[in-house]
Coordinates of all heavy atoms in Angstrom, one line a residue:
M30 N -23.3 44.7 -6.9 CA -23.8 43.3 -6.7 C -23.4 42.4 -7.8 O -23.0 41.3 -7.5 CB -25.4 43.5 -6.6 CG -25.9 42.1 -6.2 SD -25.4 41.6 -4.5 CE -26.9 40.9 -4.0
H31 N -23.3 43.0 -9.0 CA -22.8 42.2 -10.2 C -21.4 41.8 -10.1 O -21.1 40.6 -10.4 CB -23.1 43.0 -11.5 CG -22.8 42.3 -12.6 ND1 -23.4 41.1 -13.1 CD2 -21.8 42.5 -13.6 CE1 -22.9 40.7 -14.2 NE2 -21.9 41.4 -14.5
K32 N -20.5 42.7 -9.6 CA -19.1 42.4 -9.4 C -18.8 41.4 -8.3 O -18.0 40.4 -8.5 CB -18.4 43.7 -9.0 CG -18.3 44.7 -10.1 CD -17.4 45.8 -9.6 CE -17.4 47.0 -10.7 NZ -16.5 48.0 -10.2
W33 N -19.7 41.3 -7.3 CA -19.7 40.4 -6.3 C -20.0 39.0 -6.8 O -19.2 37.9 -6.5 CB -20.6 40.6 -5.2 CG -20.5 39.7 -4.0 CD1 -19.6 39.6 -3.1 CD2 -21.2 38.6 -3.8 NE1 -19.8 38.6 -2.2 CE2 -20.9 37.9 -2.6 CE3 -22.3 37.9 -4.5 CZ2 -21.4 36.7 -2.1 CZ3 -22.9 36.8 -3.8 CH2 -22.5 36.2 -2.8
R34 N -20.9 38.8 -7.7 CA -21.2 37.5 -8.3 C -20.2 37.1 -9.3 O -19.8 35.8 -9.2 CB -22.6 37.7 -9.1 CG -23.8 37.5 -8.3 CD -25.0 37.2 -9.2 NE -25.8 38.6 -9.0 CZ -26.9 38.8 -9.5 NH1 -27.4 37.9 -10.5 NH2 -27.6 39.9 -9.4
I35 N -19.6 37.9 -9.9 CA -18.4 37.6 -10.8 C -17.3 37.0 -10.0 O -16.7 36.0 -10.3 CB -18.0 38.7 -11.7 CG1 -19.1 39.1 -12.8 CG2 -16.6 38.4 -12.5 CD1 -18.8 40.3 -13.5
A36 N -17.0 37.8 -8.9 CA -15.9 37.4 -8.0 C -16.2 36.0 -7.4 O -15.3 35.3 -7.2 CB -15.7 38.5 -7.0
K37 N -17.4 35.8 -7.1 CA -17.7 34.5 -6.5 C -17.6 33.4 -7.3 O -17.1 32.3 -7.1 CB -19.3 34.7 -5.8 CG -19.7 33.4 -5.2 CD -21.1 33.6 -4.6 CE -21.6 32.4 -4.0 NZ -23.1 32.5 -3.6
K38 N -18.0 33.7 -8.6 CA -17.8 32.6 -9.7 C -16.4 32.4 -10.0 O -16.0 31.2 -10.2 CB -18.6 33.0 -11.1 CG -20.1 32.8 -10.9 CD -20.8 33.2 -12.2 CE -22.2 33.1 -12.1 NZ -22.9 33.4 -13.4
L39 N -15.6 33.5 -10.0 CA -14.2 33.1 -10.3 C -13.5 32.4 -9.2 O -12.6 31.5 -9.4 CB -13.4 34.6 -10.5 CG -13.7 35.3 -11.7 CD1 -13.1 36.6 -11.7 CD2 -13.1 34.5 -12.9
L40 N -13.9 32.7 -7.8 CA -13.4 31.9 -6.8 C -13.8 30.5 -6.9 O -12.9 29.6 -6.6 CB -13.9 32.6 -5.5 CG -13.4 31.8 -4.2 CD1 -11.9 31.9 -4.1 CD2 -14.1 32.4 -2.9
F41 N -15.0 30.2 -7.2 CA -15.5 28.8 -7.4 C -14.7 28.1 -8.5 O -14.3 27.0 -8.2 CB -17.0 28.8 -7.7 CG -17.5 27.5 -8.0 CD1 -17.7 26.5 -7.0 CD2 -17.7 27.0 -9.3 CE1 -18.2 25.3 -7.3 CE2 -18.3 25.9 -9.6 CZ -18.5 24.9 -8.5
L42 N -14.5 28.8 -9.6 CA -13.8 28.2 -10.7 C -12.3 27.9 -10.3 O -11.7 26.8 -10.6 CB -13.6 29.1 -11.8 CG -15.1 29.1 -12.7 CD1 -15.0 30.0 -13.8 CD2 -15.4 27.7 -13.2
K43 N -11.7 28.8 -9.5 CA -10.3 28.6 -9.0 C -10.2 27.4 -8.1 O -9.4 26.6 -8.2 CB -9.9 29.9 -8.3 CG -8.4 29.9 -7.9 CD -8.0 31.2 -7.3 CE -6.5 31.1 -6.9 NZ -6.0 32.4 -6.3
I44 N -11.2 27.3 -7.1 CA -11.1 26.2 -6.2 C -11.4 24.9 -7.1 O -10.7 23.8 -6.8 CB -12.3 26.3 -5.2 CG1 -11.9 27.5 -4.1 CG2 -12.6 25.0 -4.4 CD1 -13.2 28.0 -3.3
K45 N -12.3 25.0 -7.8 CA -12.6 23.8 -8.8 C -11.4 23.3 -9.6 O -11.0 22.1 -9.6 CB -13.7 23.9 -9.7 CG -14.2 22.7 -10.5 CD -15.5 23.1 -11.4 CE -15.9 21.8 -12.1 NZ -17.0 22.1 -12.8
L46 N -10.7 24.2 -10.1 CA -9.4 24.0 -10.9 C -8.3 23.4 -10.0 O -7.6 22.4 -10.3 CB -9.0 25.3 -11.6 CG -7.7 25.1 -12.3 CD1 -7.9 24.1 -13.5 CD2 -7.2 26.4 -12.9
H47 N -8.3 24.0 -8.8 CA -7.2 23.4 -7.8 C -7.7 22.0 -7.4 O -6.7 21.2 -7.4 CB -7.2 24.3 -6.6 CG -6.3 23.8 -5.5 ND1 -4.9 23.8 -5.8 CD2 -6.4 23.2 -4.3 CE1 -4.2 23.3 -4.7 NE2 -5.1 23.1 -3.9
I48 N -8.9 21.6 -7.3 CA -9.3 20.3 -6.8 C -9.0 19.4 -8.0 O -8.5 18.2 -7.8 CB -10.7 20.2 -6.5 CG1 -10.9 20.8 -5.1 CG2 -11.3 18.8 -6.3 CD1 -12.3 21.1 -4.7
M49 N -9.3 19.9 -9.3 CA -9.0 19.0 -10.5 C -7.5 18.7 -10.6 O -7.1 17.7 -10.9 CB -9.5 19.8 -11.8 CG -11.0 19.6 -11.9 SD -11.9 20.3 -13.4 CE -10.4 20.8 -14.4
N50 N -6.8 19.8 -10.2 CA -5.3 19.5 -10.3 C -4.8 18.6 -9.2 O -3.9 17.8 -9.5 CB -4.6 20.8 -10.1 CG -4.6 21.8 -11.3 OD1 -4.9 21.3 -12.4 ND2 -4.5 23.1 -11.2
L51 N -5.4 18.7 -8.0 CA -5.0 17.7 -7.0 C -5.3 16.3 -7.5 O -4.7 15.3 -7.3 CB -5.8 18.0 -5.7 CG -5.2 19.0 -4.8 CD1 -6.0 19.2 -3.6 CD2 -3.8 18.7 -4.5
T52 N -6.5 16.2 -8.1 CA -7.0 14.8 -8.6 C -6.0 14.4 -9.6 O -5.6 13.1 -9.6 CB -8.4 14.9 -9.2 OG1 -9.3 15.3 -8.2 CG2 -8.9 13.5 -9.6
E53 N -5.6 15.0 -10.6 CA -4.6 14.8 -11.6 C -3.4 14.3 -11.0 O -2.7 13.5 -11.3 CB -4.5 15.8 -12.6 CG -5.7 16.2 -13.5 CD -5.6 17.4 -14.3 OE1 -4.5 18.0 -14.3 OE2 -6.6 17.7 -15.0
Q54 N -2.8 15.1 -9.9 CA -1.6 14.8 -9.3 C -1.6 13.5 -8.5 O -0.8 12.7 -8.5 CB -1.3 15.9 -8.3 CG -0.9 17.3 -8.9 CD -0.7 18.4 -7.9 OE1 0.0 18.1 -6.8 NE2 -1.2 19.5 -8.2
V55 N -2.8 13.3 -7.9 CA -3.0 11.9 -7.1 C -3.0 10.8 -8.1 O -2.4 9.8 -7.9 CB -4.3 12.0 -6.3 CG1 -4.6 10.5 -5.8 CG2 -4.2 12.9 -5.1
E56 N -3.7 10.9 -9.2 CA -3.6 9.9 -10.3 C -2.3 9.6 -10.8 O -1.9 8.5 -11.1 CB -4.7 10.4 -11.5 CG -6.1 10.1 -11.1 CD -6.6 8.7 -11.0 OE1 -5.9 7.7 -11.3 OE2 -7.7 8.6 -10.4
Q57 N -1.5 10.7 -11.1 CA -0.3 10.5 -11.6 C 0.6 9.7 -10.5 O 1.4 8.9 -10.9 CB 0.5 11.8 -11.7 CG 0.1 12.5 -13.2 CD 0.7 13.8 -13.4 OE1 1.2 14.4 -12.5 NE2 0.7 14.2 -14.6
A58 N 0.4 9.9 -9.3 CA 1.1 9.3 -8.2 C 0.8 7.8 -8.2 O 1.6 6.9 -8.1 CB 1.0 9.9 -6.8
L59 N -0.5 7.6 -8.5 CA -1.1 6.2 -8.4 C -0.5 5.5 -9.7 O -0.2 4.2 -9.6 CB -2.6 6.2 -8.5 CG -3.2 6.6 -7.1 CD1 -4.6 6.6 -7.4 CD2 -2.9 5.6 -6.0
E60 N -0.3 6.2 -10.8 CA 0.2 5.4 -11.9 C 1.7 4.9 -11.8 O 2.0 4.0 -12.3 CB 0.3 6.4 -13.1 CG -1.0 6.7 -13.8 CD -1.8 5.5 -14.2 OE1 -1.2 4.6 -14.8 OE2 -3.0 5.4 -14.0
T61 N 2.4 5.4 -10.7 CA 3.7 5.0 -10.4 C 3.8 3.6 -9.8 O 4.7 2.8 -9.8 CB 4.6 5.9 -9.6 OG1 4.0 6.0 -8.3 CG2 4.7 7.3 -10.2
I62 N 2.7 3.3 -9.1 CA 2.6 2.0 -8.4 C 1.4 1.1 -8.9 O 1.3 -0.1 -8.6 CB 2.3 2.2 -6.9 CG1 1.0 2.9 -6.6 CG2 3.4 2.8 -6.2 CD1 0.4 3.0 -5.3
R63 N 0.6 1.6 -9.7 CA -0.5 0.8 -10.4 C 0.0 -0.4 -11.1 O -0.7 -1.5 -10.9 CB -1.3 1.8 -11.3 CG -2.6 1.1 -11.7 CD -3.6 2.1 -12.2 NE -4.4 2.6 -11.3 CZ -4.9 3.9 -11.1 NH1 -4.4 4.7 -12.0 NH2 -5.7 4.3 -10.2
P64 N 1.1 -0.4 -11.8 CA 1.6 -1.7 -12.4 C 1.8 -2.8 -11.4 O 1.4 -3.9 -11.8 CB 2.8 -1.3 -13.1 CG 2.7 0.1 -13.4 CD 1.9 0.7 -12.2
Y65 N 2.2 -2.5 -10.3 CA 2.6 -3.5 -9.3 C 1.2 -4.1 -8.7 O 1.1 -5.3 -8.4 CB 3.3 -3.0 -8.1 CG 4.7 -2.3 -8.6 CD1 4.9 -0.9 -8.8 CD2 5.7 -3.2 -9.1 CE1 6.1 -0.4 -9.2 CE2 6.9 -2.7 -9.6 CZ 7.0 -1.4 -9.6 OH 8.2 -0.7 -10.0
L66 N 0.2 -3.2 -8.5 CA -1.2 -3.6 -8.1 C -1.9 -4.6 -9.2 O -2.3 -5.5 -8.7 CB -2.0 -2.4 -7.7 CG -1.5 -1.3 -6.7 CD1 -2.4 -0.2 -6.7 CD2 -1.4 -2.0 -5.4
I67 N -1.7 -4.1 -10.4 CA -2.3 -4.9 -11.5 C -1.7 -6.3 -11.7 O -2.3 -7.2 -11.9 CB -2.3 -4.1 -12.9 CG1 -3.2 -2.8 -12.7 CG2 -2.5 -4.9 -13.9 CD1 -3.1 -1.8 -13.7
A68 N -0.4 -6.3 -11.5 CA 0.4 -7.5 -11.5 C -0.1 -8.5 -10.5 O -0.1 -9.8 -10.8 CB 1.9 -7.2 -11.4
D69 N -0.6 -8.1 -9.4 CA -1.2 -8.9 -8.4 C -2.7 -9.1 -8.4 O -3.3 -9.6 -7.5 CB -0.6 -8.5 -7.0 CG 0.8 -8.7 -6.7 OD1 1.3 -9.7 -7.2 OD2 1.4 -7.9 -5.9
G70 N -3.2 -8.6 -9.6 CA -4.6 -8.8 -9.7 C -5.5 -7.7 -9.0 O -6.6 -7.9 -8.9
G71 N -4.9 -6.6 -8.7 CA -5.6 -5.5 -8.0 C -5.6 -4.2 -8.8 O -5.0 -4.1 -9.8
N72 N -6.2 -3.2 -8.1 CA -6.0 -1.8 -8.6 C -6.7 -0.9 -7.5 O -7.0 -1.4 -6.5 CB -6.8 -1.8 -9.9 CG -6.3 -0.6 -10.8 OD1 -5.6 0.2 -10.2 ND2 -6.5 -0.7 -12.1
V73 N -6.8 0.4 -7.9 CA -7.2 1.2 -6.9 C -7.9 2.5 -7.7 O -7.4 2.8 -8.8 CB -6.1 1.8 -6.0 CG1 -5.0 2.6 -6.8 CG2 -6.7 2.7 -4.9
S74 N -8.9 3.0 -7.2 CA -9.6 4.1 -7.8 C -9.8 5.3 -6.8 O -10.0 5.0 -5.6 CB -10.9 3.7 -8.5 OG -11.9 3.4 -7.5
V75 N -9.6 6.4 -7.3 CA -9.9 7.6 -6.4 C -11.4 7.9 -6.4 O -12.0 8.1 -7.4 CB -9.2 8.9 -7.0 CG1 -9.6 10.1 -6.1 CG2 -7.7 8.7 -7.1
E76 N -12.0 7.8 -5.2 CA -13.4 8.0 -4.9 C -13.7 9.5 -4.7 O -14.8 10.1 -5.2 CB -13.9 7.2 -3.9 CG -13.9 5.6 -4.1 CD -14.8 5.3 -5.3 OE1 -16.1 5.5 -5.1 OE2 -14.2 4.7 -6.2
E77 N -12.8 10.1 -3.9 CA -13.1 11.5 -3.6 C -11.9 12.2 -2.9 O -11.0 11.4 -2.3 CB -14.2 11.6 -2.6 CG -14.5 12.9 -2.0 CD -15.6 12.8 -0.8 OE1 -15.9 11.7 -0.3 OE2 -16.0 13.9 -0.4
I78 N -11.7 13.3 -3.1 CA -10.7 14.1 -2.3 C -11.5 15.2 -1.7 O -12.2 16.1 -2.3 CB -9.7 14.8 -3.3 CG1 -8.9 13.8 -4.1 CG2 -8.7 15.6 -2.4 CD1 -7.9 14.3 -5.0
T79 N -11.6 15.1 -0.3 CA -12.3 16.0 0.5 C -11.8 17.5 0.5 O -10.6 17.7 0.2 CB -12.5 15.6 1.9 OG1 -11.3 15.6 2.6 CG2 -13.1 14.1 2.0
D80 N -12.6 18.4 1.1 CA -12.1 19.8 1.3 C -10.9 19.8 2.0 O -10.0 20.8 1.9 CB -13.2 20.6 1.8 CG -14.3 20.8 0.8 OD1 -14.1 20.6 -0.4 OD2 -15.4 21.2 1.2
D81 N -10.8 18.9 3.0 CA -9.6 19.0 4.1 C -8.5 18.2 3.4 O -7.5 17.7 4.2 CB -10.0 18.6 5.5 CG -10.8 17.4 5.6 OD1 -11.3 16.9 4.5 OD2 -10.8 16.8 6.8
K82 N -8.5 17.8 2.2 CA -7.4 17.1 1.4 C -7.1 15.7 1.8 O -6.0 15.2 1.9 CB -6.1 18.0 1.5 CG -6.1 19.4 1.3 CD -6.5 19.7 -0.2 CE -6.2 21.1 -0.6 NZ -7.4 22.1 -0.1
V83 N -8.2 15.1 2.2 CA -8.1 13.6 2.5 C -8.5 12.9 1.1 O -9.6 13.1 0.6 CB -9.1 13.2 3.5 CG1 -9.2 11.6 3.8 CG2 -8.7 13.9 4.9
V84 N -7.8 12.0 0.7 CA -7.9 11.1 -0.4 C -8.6 9.9 0.0 O -8.2 9.2 0.9 CB -6.6 10.8 -1.2 CG1 -7.0 9.9 -2.4 CG2 -6.0 12.0 -1.6
K85 N -9.9 9.6 -0.6 CA -10.6 8.5 -0.2 C -10.4 7.5 -1.5 O -10.9 8.0 -2.7 CB -12.1 8.7 0.1 CG -12.2 9.5 1.3 CD -13.6 9.8 1.7 CE -13.7 10.5 3.1 NZ -15.2 10.6 3.4
L86 N -9.9 6.4 -1.4 CA -9.8 5.5 -2.4 C -10.6 4.1 -2.2 O -10.9 3.8 -1.1 CB -8.1 4.9 -2.3 CG -7.3 6.0 -2.4 CD1 -5.7 5.4 -2.3 CD2 -7.2 6.7 -3.9
K87 N -10.8 3.5 -3.2 CA -11.4 2.2 -3.2 C -10.4 1.2 -3.8 O -9.8 1.3 -4.9 CB -12.7 2.2 -4.1 CG -13.4 0.9 -4.0 CD -14.8 0.9 -4.6 CE -15.6 -0.2 -4.4 NZ -16.9 -0.2 -5.0
L88 N -10.2 0.1 -3.0 CA -9.2 -0.9 -3.4 C -10.0 -1.9 -4.2 O -11.1 -2.3 -3.8 CB -8.7 -1.6 -2.2 CG -7.9 -0.7 -1.2 CD1 -7.4 -1.6 0.0 CD2 -6.7 -0.1 -2.0
L89 N -9.6 -2.2 -5.4 CA -10.3 -3.0 -6.3 C -9.7 -4.4 -6.6 O -8.4 -4.5 -6.4 CB -10.2 -2.3 -7.7 CG -10.9 -0.9 -7.7 CD1 -10.7 -0.2 -9.0 CD2 -12.4 -1.0 -7.3
G90 N -10.3 -5.4 -7.1 CA -9.8 -6.7 -7.3 C -9.2 -7.3 -6.2 O -9.8 -7.3 -5.0
N91 N -8.1 -8.0 -6.4 CA -7.4 -8.7 -5.2 C -7.0 -7.7 -4.1 O -6.9 -8.1 -2.9 CB -6.2 -9.3 -5.7 CG -6.6 -10.7 -6.5 OD1 -7.6 -11.2 -6.4 ND2 -5.5 -11.1 -7.3
C92 N -6.8 -6.4 -4.5 CA -6.4 -5.5 -3.3 C -7.6 -5.3 -2.3 O -7.4 -5.1 -1.2 CB -6.1 -4.2 -4.0 SG -4.5 -4.1 -4.8
G93 N -8.8 -5.5 -2.7 CA -9.9 -5.3 -1.9 C -10.1 -6.4 -1.0 O -10.8 -6.3 0.1
S94 N -9.5 -7.6 -1.3 CA -9.7 -8.8 -0.3 C -8.3 -9.4 0.2 O -8.5 -10.3 1.0 CB -10.4 -9.9 -1.0 OG -9.7 -10.3 -2.3
C95 N -7.4 -8.8 -0.2 CA -6.2 -9.4 0.3 C -5.8 -9.0 1.8 O -6.0 -7.8 2.1 CB -5.0 -8.8 -0.6 SG -3.3 -9.1 -0.1
P96 N -5.4 -10.0 2.5 CA -5.0 -9.6 4.0 C -3.9 -8.7 4.1 O -3.7 -8.0 5.2 CB -4.6 -11.1 4.5 CG -4.6 -12.0 3.5 CD -5.1 -11.4 2.2
M97 N -3.1 -8.5 3.1 CA -2.0 -7.5 3.3 C -2.3 -6.1 2.7 O -1.4 -5.4 2.6 CB -0.7 -8.1 2.3 CG -0.1 -9.4 2.9 SD 0.5 -9.2 4.6 CE 1.8 -8.1 4.4
S98 N -3.5 -5.9 2.4 CA -4.1 -4.6 1.7 C -3.6 -3.5 2.7 O -3.4 -2.4 2.3 CB -5.4 -4.6 1.4 OG -6.2 -4.8 2.5
F99 N -3.7 -3.7 4.1 CA -3.3 -2.5 4.9 C -2.0 -2.1 4.7 O -1.7 -1.0 4.7 CB -3.6 -2.9 6.4 CG -3.1 -1.9 7.3 CD1 -4.1 -0.8 7.6 CD2 -2.0 -1.9 8.0 CE1 -3.7 0.2 8.4 CE2 -1.6 -0.8 8.9 CZ -2.5 0.2 9.1
M100 N -1.0 -3.0 4.6 CA 0.4 -2.8 4.4 C 0.5 -2.1 3.0 O 1.3 -1.2 3.0 CB 1.3 -4.2 4.4 CG 1.3 -4.7 5.8 SD 2.1 -3.4 7.0 CE 3.8 -3.3 6.3
T101 N -0.2 -2.7 2.0 CA -0.1 -2.1 0.6 C -0.4 -0.6 0.7 O 0.2 0.2 0.1 CB -0.9 -2.8 -0.4 OG1 -0.4 -4.2 -0.3 CG2 -0.8 -2.3 -1.8
M102 N -1.7 -0.4 1.4 CA -2.2 0.9 1.5 C -1.1 1.8 2.2 O -0.9 2.9 1.7 CB -3.5 0.8 2.4 CG -4.1 2.1 2.5 SD -4.9 2.6 1.0 CE -5.5 4.1 1.5
K103 N -0.5 1.5 3.4 CA 0.3 2.4 4.0 C 1.6 2.5 3.4 O 2.3 3.6 3.3 CB 0.5 1.8 5.5 CG -0.8 2.0 6.3 CD -1.1 3.5 6.5 CE -2.4 3.8 7.2 NZ -2.8 5.1 7.2
S104 N 2.4 1.3 3.1 CA 3.7 1.5 2.7 C 3.8 1.8 1.2 O 4.9 2.1 0.7 CB 4.4 0.2 3.1 OG 3.9 -0.9 2.3
G105 N 2.9 1.6 0.4 CA 2.9 1.8 -1.0 C 2.0 3.0 -1.5 O 2.5 4.0 -1.9
I106 N 0.8 2.9 -1.4 CA -0.2 3.7 -2.1 C -0.1 5.0 -1.2 O 0.1 6.1 -1.9 CB -1.7 3.3 -1.9 CG1 -1.7 1.9 -2.8 CG2 -2.6 4.3 -2.4 CD1 -3.0 1.2 -2.6
E107 N -0.2 5.1 0.1 CA -0.2 6.4 0.9 C 1.1 7.2 0.7 O 1.0 8.2 0.5 CB -0.5 6.0 2.4 CG -0.5 7.4 3.2 CD -0.8 7.0 4.6 OE1 0.1 6.5 5.4 OE2 -1.9 7.2 5.1
Q108 N 2.2 6.4 0.8 CA 3.5 7.0 0.6 C 3.6 7.6 -0.7 O 4.2 8.8 -0.9 CB 4.6 6.0 0.9 CG 4.9 5.8 2.3 CD 6.3 5.1 2.5 OE1 6.8 4.6 1.6 NE2 6.7 4.9 3.7
A109 N 3.3 7.0 -1.8 CA 3.4 7.4 -3.0 C 2.6 8.8 -3.4 O 3.1 9.8 -3.9 CB 3.0 6.5 -4.2
I110 N 1.4 8.8 -2.8 CA 0.5 9.9 -3.0 C 1.1 11.1 -2.1 O 1.2 12.2 -2.7 CB -0.9 9.6 -2.5 CG1 -1.5 8.6 -3.5 CG2 -1.8 10.9 -2.4 CD1 -2.9 8.2 -3.1
M111 N 1.4 10.9 -0.9 CA 1.8 11.9 0.0 C 3.1 12.6 -0.4 O 3.5 13.7 -0.2 CB 1.8 11.5 1.5 CG 0.3 11.3 1.9 SD 0.0 10.9 3.6 CE 0.1 12.5 4.2
K112 N 4.0 11.8 -1.0 CA 5.3 12.3 -1.4 C 5.0 13.1 -2.8 O 5.8 14.1 -2.9 CB 6.2 11.1 -1.9 CG 7.6 11.4 -2.3 CD 8.5 10.2 -2.5 CE 9.9 10.7 -3.1 NZ 10.6 9.5 -3.4
A113 N 4.4 12.7 -3.6 CA 4.1 13.4 -4.8 C 3.1 14.7 -4.7 O 3.3 15.4 -5.3 CB 3.4 12.4 -5.9
V114 N 2.2 14.5 -3.7 CA 1.2 15.7 -3.5 C 1.3 16.0 -2.0 O 0.5 15.6 -1.2 CB -0.2 15.2 -4.0 CG1 -1.1 16.4 -4.0 CG2 -0.2 14.4 -5.3
P115 N 2.2 16.9 -1.6 CA 2.3 17.2 -0.3 C 1.1 17.9 0.5 O 1.0 18.0 1.6 CB 3.5 18.2 -0.1 CG 4.1 18.3 -1.5 CD 3.1 17.5 -2.4
E116 N 0.2 18.4 -0.3 CA -1.0 19.0 0.1 C -1.9 18.1 0.7 O -2.8 18.4 1.7 CB -1.8 19.9 -0.9 CG -0.9 21.0 -1.6 CD -0.4 20.5 -2.9 OE1 0.1 19.3 -3.0 OE2 -0.1 21.3 -3.8
I117 N -1.9 16.9 0.5 CA -2.7 15.8 0.9 C -2.4 15.6 2.3 O -1.2 15.4 2.8 CB -2.6 14.5 0.0 CG1 -3.0 14.8 -1.3 CG2 -3.3 13.3 0.7 CD1 -4.4 15.2 -1.6
T118 N -3.4 15.5 3.2 CA -3.3 15.3 4.7 C -3.5 13.9 5.1 O -2.9 13.5 6.0 CB -4.3 16.2 5.4 OG1 -5.6 15.8 5.0 CG2 -4.0 17.6 5.1
S119 N -4.2 13.1 4.2 CA -4.4 11.7 4.7 C -4.9 10.9 3.4 O -5.5 11.4 2.5 CB -5.4 11.7 5.8 OG -5.7 10.4 6.3
V120 N -4.6 9.6 3.5 CA -5.2 8.7 2.5 C -5.9 7.5 3.1 O -5.3 6.9 4.1 CB -4.0 8.2 1.6 CG1 -4.5 7.2 0.6 CG2 -3.3 9.2 1.0
V121 N -7.1 7.3 2.8 CA -7.9 6.3 3.4 C -8.6 5.4 2.4 O -8.9 5.9 1.3 CB -9.0 6.7 4.4 CG1 -8.4 7.5 5.7 CG2 -10.0 7.7 3.7
A122 N -8.7 4.2 2.7 CA -9.5 3.2 1.7 C -10.9 3.2 2.3 O -11.1 2.8 3.4 CB -8.9 1.8 1.7
V123 N -11.9 3.5 1.5 CA -13.2 3.4 1.9 C -13.8 2.0 2.0 O -14.8 1.8 2.8 CB -14.1 4.2 0.9 CG1 -13.7 5.7 0.9 CG2 -14.2 3.6 -0.5
N124 N -13.1 1.1 1.5 CA -13.7 -0.4 1.6 C -12.8 -1.2 2.4 O -12.9 -2.4 2.4 CB -13.8 -0.9 0.2 CG -12.7 -1.0 -0.6 OD1 -11.8 -0.2 -0.5 ND2 -12.6 -1.9 -1.6
M125 N -11.8 -0.7 3.1 CA -10.8 -1.4 4.0 C -11.6 -2.2 5.1 O -11.4 -3.4 5.5 CB -9.8 -0.6 4.6 CG -8.7 -1.4 5.3 SD -7.4 -1.9 4.3 CE -6.6 -0.3 3.9
A126 N -12.7 -1.5 5.7 CA -13.4 -2.1 6.8 C -14.2 -3.4 6.4 O -14.5 -4.2 7.2 CB -14.3 -1.1 7.4
E127 N -14.5 -3.5 5.1 CA -15.3 -4.6 4.7 C -14.6 -6.0 4.8 O -15.2 -7.0 5.0 CB -15.7 -4.5 3.1 CG -16.6 -3.3 2.9 CD -16.9 -3.1 1.4 OE1 -16.2 -3.8 0.6 OE2 -17.5 -2.0 1.0
Q128 N -13.2 -5.9 5.0 CA -12.4 -7.2 5.1 C -12.6 -7.7 6.6 O -12.3 -8.9 6.8 CB -11.0 -6.9 4.8 CG -10.8 -6.3 3.5 CD -9.4 -5.9 3.2 OE1 -8.4 -6.6 3.7 NE2 -9.1 -4.9 2.6
E129 N -12.9 -6.9 7.5 CA -12.8 -7.2 8.9 C -13.9 -8.3 9.3 O -14.9 -8.4 8.6 CB -12.8 -6.1 9.9 CG -11.6 -5.3 9.6 CD -11.7 -4.0 10.5 OE1 -12.9 -3.4 10.8 OE2 -10.6 -3.5 10.9

């Protein structure tokens, strides 16, 4: 029974480490486009990476209210993340619907 608990803890730590690595990889991908977002008065933050590898982002500043934010999301942010981190299955903005 004791070996099972150790194995379970090791698996949990491995999963946690993998998720942390994904978060770091996503952040690195965002750093490649963040200067352009900031230049236009916006930014983006990672809110969550789900178990099924969906990145949930929050658009900040002008990015949260810009009518072109959908295009920025698809052609800039999403492409940068998915190119740099192929494990990611999807990228969504949690506050995109607030603009409608």
Side-chain angles (χ1 to χ4, degrees):
M30 188 67 143
H31 182 66
K32 288 182 183 180
W33 183 81
R34 274 192 253 177
I35 292 172
K37 186 176 175 183
K38 284 184 180 181
L39 287 174
L40 178 62
F41 175 76
L42 288 173
K43 187 175 181 180
I44 291 170
K45 187 175 178 181
L46 180 61
H47 181 68
I48 289 172
M49 285 181 7
N50 286 340
L51 278 180
T52 302
E53 290 171 3
Q54 291 175 44
V55 168
E56 284 291 348
Q57 284 182 339
L59 288 174
E60 286 304 317
T61 65
I62 59 166
R63 195 167 261 140
Y65 304 106
L66 300 174
I67 292 170
D69 288 333
N72 207 337
V73 62
S74 68
V75 177
E76 296 294 303
E77 176 185 10
I78 299 177
T79 67
D80 291 338
D81 53 341
K82 310 289 189 289
V83 174
V84 177
K85 294 185 178 184
L86 302 173
K87 185 170 187 179
L88 301 176
L89 305 171
N91 288 341
C92 289
S94 59
C95 175
M97 296 300 292
S98 62
F99 178 78
M100 289 299 294
T101 301
M102 184 66 189
K103 290 293 173 188
S104 65
I106 298 170
E107 182 179 72
Q108 277 190 354
I110 291 172
M111 294 185 79
K112 181 178 178 184
V114 192
E116 301 95 330
I117 297 302
T118 59
S119 179
V120 180
V121 297
V123 297
N124 59 334
M125 186 89 71
E127 294 174 6
Q128 300 173 41
E129 300 175 325

